[in-house]
Amino acid sequence: SAFFQTVLEIGRRYKILNPERMRDAYGKLMYFLQDSRKPDVRELIEFDSVVRVRTVYDVLSKSPRGLEMLEDPQLRIATMEIMPEGKGRTQVQREIKAKEAAIKSLSKTYCSVARRRKRHHGFGGYSLGLLRSSYHDSDSEDDKNAGDELTEDMVEQCIYSIG
Protein backbone atom coordinates (compact mmCIF):
# COMPACT_ATOMS: atom_id res chain seq x y z
CA SER A 1 0.00 0.00 0.00
CA ALA A 2 2.85 2.45 0.75
CA PHE A 3 4.25 1.78 -2.71
CA PHE A 4 0.98 2.71 -4.43
CA GLN A 5 0.50 5.75 -2.21
CA THR A 6 3.98 6.97 -3.13
CA VAL A 7 3.55 6.31 -6.86
CA LEU A 8 0.20 8.10 -6.91
CA GLU A 9 1.67 11.03 -4.97
CA ILE A 10 4.53 11.29 -7.49
CA GLY A 11 1.96 11.42 -10.29
CA ARG A 12 0.02 14.18 -8.53
CA ARG A 13 3.21 16.17 -7.84
CA TYR A 14 4.29 15.78 -11.49
CA LYS A 15 0.97 17.21 -12.65
CA ILE A 16 1.25 20.12 -10.20
CA LEU A 17 4.71 20.97 -11.57
CA ASN A 18 3.73 20.35 -15.23
CA PRO A 19 0.14 21.55 -15.72
CA GLU A 20 0.36 21.28 -19.54
CA ARG A 21 1.06 17.52 -19.37
CA MET A 22 -1.12 14.48 -18.58
CA ARG A 23 -4.41 16.29 -19.32
CA ASP A 24 -6.52 13.17 -19.98
CA ALA A 25 -4.62 10.75 -17.74
CA TYR A 26 -4.69 13.10 -14.75
CA GLY A 27 -8.47 13.47 -14.94
CA LYS A 28 -8.82 9.68 -14.96
CA LEU A 29 -6.43 9.47 -12.01
CA MET A 30 -8.56 11.95 -10.05
CA TYR A 31 -11.71 9.92 -10.74
CA PHE A 32 -9.87 6.78 -9.62
CA LEU A 33 -8.68 8.44 -6.41
CA GLN A 34 -12.15 9.83 -5.68
CA ASP A 35 -13.71 6.40 -6.19
CA SER A 36 -11.04 4.73 -4.06
CA ARG A 37 -12.09 6.91 -1.10
CA LYS A 38 -15.54 5.26 -0.99
CA PRO A 39 -15.77 2.89 2.00
CA ASP A 40 -16.85 -0.14 -0.07
CA VAL A 41 -13.98 0.32 -2.56
CA ARG A 42 -11.45 0.94 0.23
CA GLU A 43 -12.60 -2.31 1.83
CA LEU A 44 -12.01 -4.18 -1.44
CA ILE A 45 -8.51 -2.82 -2.08
CA GLU A 46 -7.67 -2.98 1.65
CA PHE A 47 -5.75 0.32 1.83
CA ASP A 48 -6.26 4.03 1.43
CA SER A 49 -4.74 5.12 -1.89
CA VAL A 50 -4.90 8.86 -1.15
CA VAL A 51 -2.26 10.58 0.95
CA ARG A 52 -1.54 14.23 1.42
CA VAL A 53 0.83 15.72 -1.17
CA ARG A 54 4.10 16.35 0.62
CA THR A 55 5.45 19.89 0.42
CA VAL A 56 8.67 21.66 1.36
CA TYR A 57 6.74 23.31 4.20
CA ASP A 58 5.82 19.87 5.62
CA VAL A 59 9.48 18.83 5.69
CA LEU A 60 10.89 22.08 7.05
CA SER A 61 8.24 22.40 9.75
CA LYS A 62 9.52 19.16 11.33
CA SER A 63 12.37 21.14 12.87
CA PRO A 64 12.09 24.27 15.03
CA ARG A 65 14.61 26.11 12.81
CA GLY A 66 13.50 24.62 9.50
CA LEU A 67 11.09 27.38 8.55
CA GLU A 68 13.68 30.04 9.39
CA MET A 69 15.58 28.92 6.30
CA LEU A 70 12.84 30.38 4.09
CA GLU A 71 13.74 33.86 5.41
CA ASP A 72 17.52 33.43 4.97
CA PRO A 73 19.00 35.75 2.30
CA GLN A 74 21.27 32.92 1.07
CA LEU A 75 18.19 31.03 -0.12
CA ARG A 76 17.90 33.46 -3.05
CA ILE A 77 21.42 32.56 -4.18
CA ALA A 78 20.87 28.84 -3.58
CA THR A 79 17.73 28.79 -5.75
CA MET A 80 18.69 31.26 -8.48
CA GLU A 81 18.57 30.20 -12.10
CA ILE A 82 21.91 30.48 -13.84
CA MET A 83 21.47 31.72 -17.39
CA PRO A 84 24.60 31.41 -19.58
CA GLU A 85 23.41 33.85 -22.29
CA GLY A 86 25.62 36.92 -22.51
CA LYS A 87 28.05 35.73 -19.83
CA GLY A 88 31.56 34.44 -20.00
CA ARG A 89 32.48 30.92 -18.95
CA THR A 90 34.26 32.15 -15.80
CA GLN A 91 31.24 34.18 -14.70
CA VAL A 92 28.91 31.19 -15.14
CA GLN A 93 31.32 28.98 -13.19
CA ARG A 94 31.56 31.63 -10.46
CA GLU A 95 27.74 31.71 -10.19
CA ILE A 96 27.58 27.91 -10.04
CA LYS A 97 30.18 27.82 -7.26
CA ALA A 98 28.31 30.54 -5.33
CA LYS A 99 25.06 28.58 -5.68
CA GLU A 100 26.67 25.32 -4.52
CA ALA A 101 28.33 27.09 -1.58
CA ALA A 102 24.99 28.64 -0.55
CA ILE A 103 23.28 25.24 -0.69
CA LYS A 104 25.99 23.62 1.44
CA SER A 105 25.96 26.50 3.92
CA LEU A 106 22.17 26.43 4.28
CA SER A 107 22.09 22.64 4.66
CA LYS A 108 24.73 22.74 7.42
CA THR A 109 23.12 25.72 9.17
CA TYR A 110 19.55 24.46 9.22
CA CYS A 111 19.97 20.71 9.68
CA SER A 112 19.10 19.53 13.17
CA VAL A 113 21.50 16.58 13.18
CA ALA A 114 25.19 16.55 12.36
CA ARG A 115 25.23 13.19 10.61
CA ARG A 116 23.84 12.49 7.18
CA ARG A 117 21.12 9.91 6.89
CA LYS A 118 21.78 6.90 4.67
CA ARG A 119 20.41 7.61 1.19
CA HIS A 120 17.46 5.62 -0.10
CA HIS A 121 17.38 5.28 -3.86
CA GLY A 122 14.02 5.00 -5.59
CA PHE A 123 12.74 5.89 -9.04
CA GLY A 124 14.96 8.21 -11.09
CA GLY A 125 16.70 9.64 -8.04
CA TYR A 126 13.51 10.14 -6.01
CA SER A 127 14.05 9.00 -2.47
CA LEU A 128 10.99 6.91 -1.68
CA GLY A 129 11.81 6.75 2.02
CA LEU A 130 12.10 10.51 2.19
CA LEU A 131 8.85 11.03 0.30
CA ARG A 132 7.00 9.08 2.94
CA SER A 133 8.86 10.34 5.99
CA SER A 134 6.72 13.41 6.65
CA TYR A 135 3.33 11.77 6.90
CA HIS A 136 2.05 12.05 10.42
CA ASP A 137 0.13 8.78 10.15
CA SER A 138 3.11 6.82 8.87
CA ASP A 139 3.69 3.52 10.58
CA SER A 140 7.33 3.19 9.60
CA GLU A 141 9.66 2.57 12.54
CA ASP A 142 12.30 4.82 10.95
CA ASP A 143 9.77 7.66 10.70
CA LYS A 144 8.82 7.34 14.37
CA ASN A 145 12.46 7.49 15.45
CA ALA A 146 13.27 10.46 13.19
CA GLY A 147 10.91 12.78 15.09
CA ASP A 148 11.82 16.36 14.31
CA GLU A 149 15.24 15.61 12.81
CA LEU A 150 16.09 17.58 9.71
CA THR A 151 19.14 16.10 8.01
CA GLU A 152 21.48 17.85 5.59
CA ASP A 153 20.11 15.67 2.78
CA MET A 154 16.54 16.72 3.58
CA VAL A 155 17.47 20.42 3.63
CA GLU A 156 19.30 20.05 0.29
CA GLN A 157 16.31 18.27 -1.25
CA CYS A 158 14.04 21.09 -0.07
CA ILE A 159 16.32 23.72 -1.62
CA TYR A 160 16.42 21.83 -4.92
CA SER A 161 12.61 21.52 -4.82
CA ILE A 162 12.23 25.28 -4.35
CA GLY A 163 14.71 26.18 -7.11
Side-chain angles (χ1 to χ4, degrees):
S1 69
F3 170 77
F4 291 111
Q5 289 173 335
T6 303
V7 169
L8 293 170
E9 181 197 5
I10 290 171
R12 289 167 55 208
R13 293 171 116 226
Y14 180 80
K15 178 62 177 176
I16 290 168
L17 294 173
N18 302 287
E20 73 283 355
R21 303 246 172 115
M22 291 179 25
R23 292 189 186 271
D24 293 336
Y26 187 73
K28 293 173 188 172
L29 175 65
M30 289 298 103
Y31 285 132
F32 166 76
L33 292 175
Q34 288 172 356
D35 289 344
S36 73
R37 299 290 291 177
K38 294 179 182 176
D40 52 336
V41 175
R42 193 178 317 168
E43 184 179 316
L44 286 173
I45 61 175
E46 297 180 349
F47 72 93
D48 189 6
S49 59
V50 179
V51 293
R52 192 166 166 248
V53 174
R54 186 165 174 249
T55 63
V56 169
Y57 180 85
D58 293 334
V59 176
L60 293 178
S61 63
K62 289 172 65 172
S63 171
R65 293 200 55 222
L67 294 175
E68 292 175 20
M69 183 182 78
L70 297 175
E71 303 293 327
D72 194 305
Q74 278 192 314
L75 187 62
R76 187 184 67 75
I77 296 167
T79 59
M80 73 178 175
E81 184 176 7
I82 299 172
M83 304 296 288
E85 290 84 19
K87 298 178 186 173
R89 183 179 184 98
T90 56
Q91 184 179 358
V92 171
Q93 288 177 339
R94 196 175 327 121
E95 289 179 9
I96 291 171
K97 286 187 188 290
K99 182 173 180 166
E100 290 172 352
I103 291 170
K104 292 295 178 192
S105 172
L106 287 169
S107 64
K108 287 185 188 323
T109 303
Y110 292 100
C111 75
S112 57
V113 289
R115 62 176 165 45
R116 292 178 83 104
R117 177 175 277 178
K118 182 175 76 173
R119 290 184 182 261
H120 301 279
H121 295 288
F123 297 113
Y126 286 103
S127 171
L128 297 181
L130 185 57
L131 281 174
R132 209 168 158 255
S133 67
S134 74
Y135 299 126
H136 298 291
D137 59 346
S138 172
D139 56 356
S140 168
E141 196 61 37
D142 186 39
D143 295 343
K144 289 176 184 174
N145 293 339
D148 60 357
E149 288 183 353
L150 193 58
T151 64
E152 288 179 43
D153 289 338
M154 294 168 91
V155 174
E156 283 181 23
Q157 185 177 22
C158 288
I159 293 169
Y160 289 125
S161 294
I162 293 170

